[in-house]
Structure formats: C-alpha cells, structure tokens
Amino acid sequence: MSFKTACFGALAFTIVGGAALAGALDEPKMMAPFFTDASMKTMKPDADMKKAWAGMAKADQDKMMKECNDAAMSKPHAQFCEKLKALGGSK
C-alpha cells in the first residue's frame, strides 16, 4: 500500500467517523425550534418548547431523548436536556 493511499484512507475514515459522532442534539435543524436565536443560546419559554416537542416526529423525539439519556452525548446540552425531560420529553 502506498503512502498516498494510506493517507487517503485515514482522511476518509476521519470524515466518516466525525459524521457518526454528530447526533440529533448537534443538528441545528433539529434544535432550532427550541431556541429564540440563531446562535441557539436562549431557549424559548416552556409552552413554546412543549409545542415544538409535540410537533416533532416520534423518531426525532426518540433520537433526542436517547442522546439526552446518554451522559457523554448530553453533557454539552445539559440545560436543554433537563428542560426537555421536565416538560415531559421522557414519556
């Protein structure tokens, strides 16, 4: 195997592996309905969050809750996950 082929393989693995690590909680499209701003720093009021949650597909809800229940995945989104669970997202 040549050096060039090995480097290309490593790059491809890194790209595919990085994409696999990103989850629903890291997707702006999934998270945007819960925040008031594009930077996703300010969460919407409880009533609006509950409405956004109810409007999501069950499969998307399941993905988000799975990640919220995983300590490593939810750590950067701890405040969001706590709010989601308190609003009944864990049902």
Side-chain angles (χ1 to χ4, degrees):
M1 177 180 345
S2 72
F3 180 72
K4 186 177 179 181
T5 304
C7 287
F8 181 72
L11 176 64
F13 179 75
T14 302
I15 292 170
V16 171
L21 295 176
L25 297 177
D26 295 319
E27 291 181 29
K29 181 178 154 188
M30 295 276 282
M31 298 294 284
F34 299 99
F35 291 88
T36 61
D37 55 345
S39 65
M40 293 189 215
K41 299 289 183 200
T42 307
M43 284 188 277
K44 289 183 176 179
D46 291 353
D48 292 339
M49 286 189 70
K50 193 163 189 137
K51 186 176 180 180
W53 178 256
M56 291 183 78
K58 176 77 169 113
D60 291 339
Q61 290 177 346
D62 290 345
K63 285 180 198 174
M64 292 180 95
M65 286 312 303
K66 182 178 179 183
E67 290 178 27
C68 279
N69 289 323
D70 181 302
M73 292 290 286
S74 68
K75 192 171 186 174
H77 308 284
Q79 185 180 12
F80 173 79
C81 288
E82 287 176 32
K83 178 73 81 168
L84 197 62
K85 290 175 185 178
L87 292 173
S90 59
K91 290 182 180 177

Coordinates of all heavy atoms in Angstrom, one line a residue:
M1 N 0.9 -1.2 0.0 CA 0.0 0.0 0.0 C 0.9 1.2 0.0 O 1.9 1.3 0.8 CB -0.9 0.0 1.2 CG -1.7 1.2 1.3 SD -2.9 1.4 2.7 CE -3.1 -0.1 3.5
S2 N 0.6 2.2 -0.8 CA 1.4 3.4 -0.9 C 1.0 4.3 0.2 O -0.1 4.3 0.8 CB 1.2 4.0 -2.3 OG -0.1 4.6 -2.4
F3 N 1.9 5.3 0.4 CA 1.7 6.3 1.4 C 0.5 7.1 1.1 O -0.3 7.5 2.0 CB 3.0 7.2 1.6 CG 2.8 8.3 2.6 CD1 2.9 8.0 3.9 CD2 2.7 9.6 2.2 CE1 2.7 9.0 4.9 CE2 2.6 10.6 3.1 CZ 2.6 10.3 4.5
K4 N 0.3 7.4 -0.2 CA -0.8 8.3 -0.6 C -2.1 7.6 -0.4 O -3.1 8.2 0.1 CB -0.6 8.6 -2.1 CG -1.6 9.5 -2.7 CD -1.3 9.8 -4.2 CE -2.3 10.7 -4.8 NZ -2.0 11.0 -6.2
T5 N -2.2 6.3 -0.6 CA -3.4 5.5 -0.4 C -3.7 5.4 1.1 O -4.9 5.6 1.5 CB -3.2 4.1 -1.0 OG1 -2.9 4.2 -2.3 CG2 -4.5 3.3 -0.8
A6 N -2.7 5.3 1.9 CA -2.9 5.2 3.4 C -3.4 6.5 3.9 O -4.4 6.5 4.7 CB -1.6 4.8 4.1
C7 N -2.9 7.6 3.4 CA -3.3 8.9 3.9 C -4.8 9.2 3.4 O -5.6 9.7 4.2 CB -2.4 10.0 3.3 SG -0.8 10.1 4.1
F8 N -5.1 8.8 2.2 CA -6.5 9.0 1.7 C -7.5 8.2 2.6 O -8.5 8.6 2.9 CB -6.6 8.6 0.2 CG -7.9 8.8 -0.3 CD1 -8.5 10.0 -0.5 CD2 -8.7 7.7 -0.6 CE1 -9.7 10.2 -1.0 CE2 -10.0 7.8 -1.1 CZ -10.5 9.1 -1.3
G9 N -7.1 6.9 2.9 CA -7.9 6.1 3.7 C -8.1 6.7 5.1 O -9.2 6.6 5.6
A10 N -7.1 7.2 5.7 CA -7.2 7.8 7.0 C -8.1 9.0 7.0 O -8.9 9.3 7.9 CB -5.8 8.2 7.5
L11 N -8.0 9.8 5.9 CA -8.8 11.0 5.8 C -10.3 10.6 5.6 O -11.2 11.2 6.3 CB -8.4 11.8 4.6 CG -9.2 13.0 4.2 CD1 -9.2 14.1 5.4 CD2 -8.8 13.7 2.9
A12 N -10.5 9.6 4.8 CA -11.9 9.1 4.6 C -12.5 8.6 5.9 O -13.7 8.9 6.3 CB -12.0 8.1 3.6
F13 N -11.7 7.9 6.7 CA -12.2 7.3 8.0 C -12.5 8.5 8.9 O -13.5 8.4 9.7 CB -11.1 6.4 8.6 CG -11.5 5.8 9.9 CD1 -12.4 4.8 9.9 CD2 -10.9 6.3 11.0 CE1 -12.8 4.2 11.2 CE2 -11.3 5.8 12.3 CZ -12.2 4.7 12.3
T14 N -11.7 9.5 9.0 CA -11.9 10.6 9.8 C -13.2 11.3 9.5 O -13.9 11.7 10.4 CB -10.7 11.6 9.8 OG1 -9.5 10.9 10.1 CG2 -10.9 12.8 10.7
I15 N -13.4 11.5 8.2 CA -14.6 12.2 7.8 C -15.9 11.4 8.2 O -16.8 12.0 8.7 CB -14.6 12.5 6.3 CG1 -13.5 13.6 6.0 CG2 -15.9 13.0 5.8 CD1 -13.2 13.8 4.5
V16 N -15.8 10.2 7.9 CA -17.0 9.3 8.2 C -17.2 9.2 9.7 O -18.3 9.2 10.2 CB -16.8 7.9 7.5 CG1 -17.9 6.9 8.0 CG2 -16.9 8.0 6.0
G17 N -16.1 9.0 10.4 CA -16.2 8.8 11.8 C -16.7 10.1 12.5 O -17.5 10.1 13.4
G18 N -16.3 11.3 12.0 CA -16.7 12.5 12.6 C -18.2 12.7 12.4 O -18.9 13.2 13.2
A19 N -18.7 12.3 11.2 CA -20.1 12.5 10.9 C -20.9 11.6 11.8 O -22.0 11.9 12.3 CB -20.4 12.2 9.5
A20 N -20.4 10.4 12.2 CA -21.1 9.5 13.0 C -21.2 10.0 14.5 O -22.1 9.6 15.2 CB -20.4 8.1 13.0
L21 N -20.3 10.8 14.9 CA -20.3 11.3 16.2 C -21.3 12.4 16.4 O -21.7 12.7 17.5 CB -18.9 11.8 16.6 CG -17.8 10.7 16.7 CD1 -16.4 11.3 17.0 CD2 -18.1 9.7 17.8
A22 N -21.6 13.1 15.4 CA -22.6 14.2 15.5 C -24.0 13.6 15.6 O -24.3 12.7 14.9 CB -22.5 15.1 14.3
G23 N -24.7 14.1 16.6 CA -26.1 13.5 16.8 C -27.2 14.5 16.6 O -26.9 15.6 16.2
A24 N -28.3 14.1 17.0 CA -29.5 15.0 16.8 C -29.4 16.3 17.6 O -29.8 17.3 17.2 CB -30.8 14.2 17.3
L25 N -28.7 16.2 18.8 CA -28.5 17.4 19.6 C -27.5 18.4 19.0 O -27.4 19.5 19.4 CB -28.1 17.0 21.0 CG -29.1 16.2 21.8 CD1 -28.5 15.8 23.2 CD2 -30.4 16.9 21.9
D26 N -26.8 17.9 18.0 CA -25.8 18.8 17.3 C -26.3 19.3 16.0 O -25.6 20.1 15.3 CB -24.5 18.0 17.1 CG -23.9 17.7 18.4 OD1 -23.9 18.6 19.3 OD2 -23.4 16.6 18.6
E27 N -27.5 18.9 15.6 CA -28.1 19.3 14.3 C -28.9 20.6 14.5 O -29.9 20.6 15.1 CB -29.0 18.3 13.7 CG -28.2 17.0 13.3 CD -29.2 16.0 12.7 OE1 -30.3 16.4 12.1 OE2 -28.9 14.8 12.8
P28 N -28.5 21.7 13.9 CA -29.2 23.0 14.0 C -30.7 22.9 13.6 O -31.6 23.5 14.2 CB -28.4 23.9 13.1 CG -27.1 23.4 13.1 CD -27.2 21.9 13.1
K29 N -30.9 22.1 12.5 CA -32.3 21.9 12.1 C -33.2 21.3 13.1 O -34.4 21.7 13.2 CB -32.3 21.0 10.8 CG -33.6 20.8 10.2 CD -33.4 19.9 8.9 CE -34.7 19.1 8.6 NZ -34.5 18.2 7.6
M30 N -32.6 20.4 13.9 CA -33.4 19.7 15.0 C -33.6 20.6 16.2 O -34.6 20.6 16.9 CB -32.7 18.4 15.4 CG -32.7 17.4 14.3 SD -34.1 16.4 14.2 CE -33.9 15.3 15.6
M31 N -32.6 21.4 16.5 CA -32.6 22.2 17.7 C -33.2 23.6 17.5 O -33.7 24.2 18.5 CB -31.1 22.4 18.2 CG -30.5 21.0 18.6 SD -31.2 20.2 20.0 CE -30.6 21.2 21.3
A32 N -33.2 24.1 16.4 CA -33.7 25.5 16.1 C -35.1 25.8 16.7 O -35.3 26.8 17.2 CB -33.7 25.8 14.6
P33 N -36.1 24.8 16.6 CA -37.4 25.1 17.1 C -37.5 25.4 18.6 O -38.5 25.9 19.1 CB -38.2 23.9 16.8 CG -37.5 23.2 15.7 CD -36.0 23.6 15.9
F34 N -36.4 25.1 19.3 CA -36.4 25.2 20.8 C -35.7 26.5 21.3 O -35.7 26.8 22.4 CB -35.7 24.0 21.4 CG -36.4 22.7 21.1 CD1 -36.0 21.9 20.1 CD2 -37.6 22.3 21.8 CE1 -36.7 20.7 19.8 CE2 -38.3 21.2 21.5 CZ -37.8 20.3 20.5
F35 N -35.1 27.3 20.3 CA -34.4 28.4 20.7 C -34.9 29.7 20.0 O -35.5 29.6 18.9 CB -32.9 28.2 20.3 CG -32.2 27.2 21.2 CD1 -32.3 25.8 20.8 CD2 -31.6 27.5 22.4 CE1 -31.7 24.9 21.6 CE2 -31.0 26.6 23.2 CZ -31.0 25.2 22.8
T36 N -34.7 30.8 20.7 CA -35.2 32.1 20.1 C -34.2 32.8 19.2 O -34.6 33.7 18.4 CB -35.4 33.1 21.3 OG1 -34.2 33.4 22.0 CG2 -36.4 32.6 22.3
D37 N -32.9 32.3 19.2 CA -31.9 33.0 18.4 C -31.1 32.0 17.5 O -31.1 30.8 17.8 CB -31.0 33.8 19.2 CG -30.4 33.0 20.3 OD1 -30.9 31.8 20.6 OD2 -29.4 33.4 20.9
A38 N -30.5 32.5 16.5 CA -29.8 31.6 15.6 C -28.5 31.0 16.2 O -28.1 29.9 15.8 CB -29.3 32.4 14.3
S39 N -28.0 31.7 17.2 CA -26.8 31.1 17.9 C -27.2 30.0 18.9 O -26.4 29.4 19.5 CB -26.1 32.3 18.7 OG -26.9 32.8 19.7
M40 N -28.5 29.8 19.1 CA -29.1 28.8 20.0 C -28.5 28.9 21.4 O -28.1 27.9 22.0 CB -28.8 27.4 19.4 CG -29.6 27.2 18.1 SD -29.6 25.5 17.6 CE -29.6 25.8 15.8
K41 N -28.5 30.1 21.9 CA -28.1 30.4 23.3 C -29.3 30.6 24.2 O -29.2 30.3 25.4 CB -27.2 31.6 23.4 CG -25.9 31.4 22.6 CD -25.0 30.5 23.2 CE -23.7 30.4 22.4 NZ -22.9 29.2 22.6
T42 N -30.4 31.1 23.7 CA -31.6 31.4 24.5 C -32.7 30.5 24.2 O -33.2 30.5 23.1 CB -32.0 32.8 24.3 OG1 -30.9 33.7 24.5 CG2 -33.1 33.2 25.3
M43 N -33.1 29.6 25.2 CA -34.2 28.7 24.9 C -35.6 29.5 25.0 O -35.7 30.4 25.7 CB -34.2 27.6 26.0 CG -33.2 26.5 25.7 SD -33.3 25.1 26.8 CE -32.5 25.7 28.3
K44 N -36.5 28.9 24.2 CA -37.9 29.5 24.2 C -38.6 29.2 25.6 O -38.1 28.3 26.3 CB -38.7 28.9 23.1 CG -38.2 29.4 21.7 CD -39.1 28.8 20.6 CE -38.7 29.4 19.3 NZ -39.5 28.8 18.2
P45 N -39.6 29.9 25.8 CA -40.4 29.6 27.1 C -41.0 28.2 27.0 O -41.1 27.6 26.0 CB -41.6 30.6 27.0 CG -41.1 31.7 26.1 CD -40.2 31.0 25.1
D46 N -41.3 27.7 28.2 CA -41.7 26.3 28.4 C -42.9 25.9 27.4 O -42.9 24.9 26.8 CB -42.2 26.0 29.8 CG -41.0 26.0 30.8 OD1 -39.8 26.1 30.3 OD2 -41.2 25.9 32.0
A47 N -43.9 26.8 27.3 CA -45.0 26.5 26.4 C -44.6 26.3 25.0 O -45.1 25.4 24.3 CB -46.1 27.6 26.6
D48 N -43.7 27.2 24.5 CA -43.2 27.1 23.1 C -42.4 25.8 22.9 O -42.4 25.2 21.9 CB -42.4 28.3 22.7 CG -43.3 29.6 22.7 OD1 -44.6 29.4 22.5 OD2 -42.8 30.7 22.7
M49 N -41.6 25.5 24.0 CA -40.7 24.3 23.8 C -41.6 23.1 23.8 O -41.3 22.1 23.0 CB -39.7 24.2 25.0 CG -38.6 25.2 24.8 SD -37.3 25.0 26.0 CE -36.6 23.5 25.5
K50 N -42.6 23.0 24.6 CA -43.5 21.9 24.7 C -44.2 21.7 23.3 O -44.4 20.6 22.8 CB -44.5 22.0 25.8 CG -45.3 20.7 26.1 CD -45.9 20.7 27.4 CE -46.4 19.4 27.7 NZ -46.2 18.9 29.1
K51 N -44.6 22.9 22.7 CA -45.3 22.8 21.4 C -44.3 22.3 20.3 O -44.7 21.5 19.5 CB -45.8 24.2 21.1 CG -46.6 24.3 19.9 CD -47.2 25.8 19.7 CE -48.0 25.9 18.4 NZ -48.5 27.2 18.2
A52 N -43.1 22.8 20.4 CA -42.1 22.4 19.4 C -41.9 20.9 19.5 O -41.7 20.1 18.5 CB -40.8 23.1 19.6
W53 N -41.8 20.4 20.8 CA -41.6 19.0 21.0 C -42.7 18.1 20.5 O -42.5 17.1 19.8 CB -41.4 18.7 22.5 CG -41.2 17.3 22.9 CD1 -42.1 16.5 23.4 CD2 -40.0 16.5 22.7 NE1 -41.6 15.2 23.6 CE2 -40.3 15.2 23.2 CE3 -38.8 16.7 22.1 CZ2 -39.4 14.2 23.1 CZ3 -37.9 15.7 22.1 CH2 -38.2 14.4 22.6
A54 N -43.9 18.6 20.7 CA -45.1 17.9 20.3 C -45.2 17.8 18.8 O -45.8 16.9 18.2 CB -46.4 18.5 20.9
G55 N -44.7 18.8 18.1 CA -44.7 18.9 16.6 C -43.6 18.1 15.9 O -43.6 18.0 14.7
M56 N -42.7 17.5 16.7 CA -41.7 16.7 16.1 C -42.1 15.3 15.8 O -43.0 14.7 16.5 CB -40.5 16.6 17.0 CG -39.7 17.9 17.2 SD -38.3 17.7 18.3 CE -37.2 17.0 17.1
A57 N -41.5 14.7 14.8 CA -41.7 13.3 14.5 C -41.3 12.4 15.7 O -40.3 12.7 16.4 CB -41.0 12.9 13.2
K58 N -42.0 11.3 15.9 CA -41.6 10.4 17.0 C -40.2 9.9 16.9 O -39.5 9.8 17.9 CB -42.6 9.2 17.0 CG -42.3 8.2 18.1 CD -42.7 8.6 19.5 CE -42.7 7.4 20.4 NZ -41.7 7.5 21.4
A59 N -39.8 9.6 15.7 CA -38.4 9.1 15.5 C -37.4 10.2 15.9 O -36.3 9.8 16.6 CB -38.2 8.7 14.0
D60 N -37.6 11.4 15.6 CA -36.7 12.5 16.0 C -36.8 12.7 17.6 O -35.7 12.9 18.2 CB -37.1 13.8 15.3 CG -36.8 13.8 13.8 OD1 -36.0 12.9 13.4 OD2 -37.4 14.6 13.1
Q61 N -37.9 12.6 18.1 CA -38.0 12.7 19.6 C -37.2 11.6 20.3 O -36.5 11.8 21.2 CB -39.5 12.5 20.1 CG -40.4 13.7 19.7 CD -41.8 13.5 20.1 OE1 -42.2 12.4 20.4 NE2 -42.6 14.6 20.1
D62 N -37.3 10.4 19.7 CA -36.6 9.2 20.3 C -35.1 9.4 20.2 O -34.3 9.1 21.1 CB -37.0 7.9 19.6 CG -38.4 7.5 19.9 OD1 -39.0 8.0 20.9 OD2 -38.9 6.6 19.1
K63 N -34.6 10.0 19.0 CA -33.2 10.3 18.9 C -32.7 11.3 19.9 O -31.7 11.1 20.5 CB -32.9 10.8 17.5 CG -32.9 9.9 16.3 CD -32.6 10.6 15.0 CE -33.1 9.8 13.8 NZ -32.9 10.6 12.6
M64 N -33.5 12.3 20.1 CA -33.1 13.4 21.0 C -33.1 12.8 22.5 O -32.1 13.1 23.2 CB -34.0 14.6 20.9 CG -33.8 15.3 19.6 SD -34.9 16.8 19.5 CE -33.7 18.0 20.1
M65 N -34.1 12.1 22.8 CA -34.1 11.5 24.2 C -33.0 10.5 24.4 O -32.5 10.5 25.5 CB -35.5 10.9 24.5 CG -36.6 12.0 24.7 SD -36.2 13.4 25.8 CE -35.8 12.5 27.3
K66 N -32.7 9.7 23.4 CA -31.6 8.7 23.6 C -30.3 9.5 23.9 O -29.6 9.1 24.8 CB -31.5 7.9 22.3 CG -30.4 6.9 22.4 CD -30.3 6.0 21.1 CE -29.2 5.0 21.3 NZ -29.1 4.2 20.0
E67 N -30.1 10.6 23.2 CA -28.9 11.3 23.4 C -28.9 12.1 24.8 O -27.9 12.2 25.4 CB -28.6 12.3 22.3 CG -28.2 11.6 21.0 CD -28.1 12.5 19.8 OE1 -27.7 13.7 20.0 OE2 -28.2 12.0 18.7
C68 N -30.1 12.6 25.1 CA -30.2 13.2 26.4 C -30.0 12.3 27.6 O -29.6 12.7 28.7 CB -31.6 13.9 26.6 SG -31.7 15.5 25.7
N69 N -30.3 11.0 27.4 CA -30.1 10.0 28.4 C -28.7 9.4 28.4 O -28.4 8.6 29.3 CB -31.2 8.9 28.3 CG -32.6 9.3 28.6 OD1 -32.7 10.1 29.5 ND2 -33.6 8.9 27.9
D70 N -27.9 9.8 27.5 CA -26.5 9.4 27.4 C -25.7 10.5 28.0 O -25.6 11.6 27.5 CB -26.1 9.1 26.0 CG -24.7 8.6 25.8 OD1 -23.8 9.4 26.3 OD2 -24.5 7.6 25.2
A71 N -25.0 10.2 29.1 CA -24.2 11.2 29.9 C -23.2 11.9 29.0 O -23.1 13.1 29.0 CB -23.5 10.6 31.1
A72 N -22.5 11.2 28.2 CA -21.4 11.8 27.3 C -22.0 12.7 26.2 O -21.5 13.8 26.0 CB -20.6 10.7 26.7
M73 N -23.1 12.2 25.6 CA -23.7 12.9 24.5 C -24.4 14.2 25.0 O -24.4 15.2 24.3 CB -24.7 12.1 23.7 CG -24.0 10.9 22.9 SD -23.1 11.5 21.5 CE -24.4 12.0 20.4
S74 N -25.0 14.1 26.2 CA -25.8 15.2 26.6 C -25.1 16.3 27.4 O -25.6 17.3 27.6 CB -26.9 14.7 27.6 OG -26.4 14.2 28.8
K75 N -23.8 16.0 27.7 CA -23.1 16.9 28.6 C -23.0 18.3 28.0 O -23.3 19.3 28.7 CB -21.6 16.4 28.8 CG -20.9 17.2 29.8 CD -19.6 16.5 30.1 CE -18.9 17.3 31.3 NZ -17.7 16.6 31.8
P76 N -22.8 18.5 26.7 CA -22.8 19.9 26.2 C -24.2 20.5 26.1 O -24.3 21.7 25.9 CB -22.2 19.8 24.8 CG -21.8 18.3 24.5 CD -22.3 17.6 25.7
H77 N -25.2 19.7 26.2 CA -26.6 20.1 26.1 C -27.4 19.9 27.4 O -28.6 19.7 27.3 CB -27.3 19.4 24.9 CG -26.5 19.5 23.6 ND1 -26.5 20.6 22.9 CD2 -25.7 18.6 23.0 CE1 -25.7 20.4 21.8 NE2 -25.2 19.2 21.9
A78 N -26.7 19.9 28.5 CA -27.3 19.5 29.8 C -28.5 20.3 30.1 O -29.5 19.8 30.5 CB -26.2 19.6 30.9
Q79 N -28.4 21.6 30.0 CA -29.5 22.5 30.3 C -30.7 22.2 29.4 O -31.9 22.1 29.9 CB -29.1 24.0 30.2 CG -30.2 24.9 30.6 CD -29.7 26.4 30.5 OE1 -28.7 26.7 29.8 NE2 -30.5 27.3 31.0
F80 N -30.5 22.0 28.1 CA -31.6 21.7 27.2 C -32.2 20.4 27.6 O -33.5 20.3 27.6 CB -31.1 21.7 25.8 CG -32.1 21.2 24.8 CD1 -33.1 22.0 24.3 CD2 -32.0 19.8 24.3 CE1 -34.0 21.5 23.4 CE2 -33.0 19.4 23.4 CZ -34.0 20.2 23.0
C81 N -31.4 19.4 27.8 CA -31.9 18.0 28.2 C -32.7 18.1 29.5 O -33.8 17.4 29.6 CB -30.8 17.0 28.2 SG -30.1 16.6 26.6
E82 N -32.3 18.8 30.5 CA -33.0 18.9 31.7 C -34.4 19.5 31.5 O -35.4 19.1 32.0 CB -32.2 19.8 32.7 CG -31.0 19.1 33.3 CD -30.3 20.0 34.2 OE1 -30.9 20.9 34.9 OE2 -29.0 19.9 34.3
K83 N -34.4 20.6 30.7 CA -35.7 21.3 30.3 C -36.6 20.3 29.6 O -37.8 20.2 29.9 CB -35.4 22.5 29.5 CG -36.6 23.3 29.1 CD -37.2 24.0 30.2 CE -36.5 25.3 30.4 NZ -37.3 26.2 31.2
L84 N -36.1 19.6 28.6 CA -36.9 18.7 27.8 C -37.5 17.6 28.7 O -38.7 17.3 28.6 CB -36.0 18.1 26.7 CG -36.7 17.4 25.6 CD1 -37.6 18.4 24.8 CD2 -35.7 16.8 24.6
K85 N -36.7 17.0 29.6 CA -37.2 16.0 30.5 C -38.3 16.5 31.4 O -39.3 15.9 31.7 CB -36.0 15.4 31.3 CG -35.1 14.5 30.5 CD -33.9 14.0 31.3 CE -32.9 13.3 30.4 NZ -31.8 12.9 31.2
A86 N -38.1 17.8 31.9 CA -39.0 18.4 32.8 C -40.4 18.7 32.1 O -41.4 18.6 32.7 CB -38.5 19.7 33.4
L87 N -40.3 18.9 30.8 CA -41.5 19.2 30.1 C -42.2 17.9 29.6 O -43.2 18.0 28.8 CB -41.2 20.1 28.8 CG -40.7 21.5 29.2 CD1 -40.3 22.2 28.0 CD2 -41.9 22.3 29.9
G88 N -41.7 16.8 30.0 CA -42.4 15.5 29.6 C -41.8 14.9 28.4 O -42.4 13.9 27.9
G89 N -40.6 15.3 28.0 CA -40.0 14.6 26.9 C -39.6 13.2 27.1 O -39.4 12.4 26.2
S90 N -39.5 12.8 28.4 CA -39.0 11.4 28.6 C -40.2 10.4 28.6 O -40.0 9.2 28.9 CB -38.3 11.4 30.0 OG -39.2 11.8 31.0
K91 N -41.4 10.8 28.3 CA -42.5 9.9 28.3 C -42.5 9.1 27.1 O -42.1 9.4 26.1 CB -43.8 10.7 28.3 CG -44.1 11.4 29.7 CD -45.4 12.1 29.7 CE -45.6 12.7 31.0 NZ -46.8 13.5 31.1

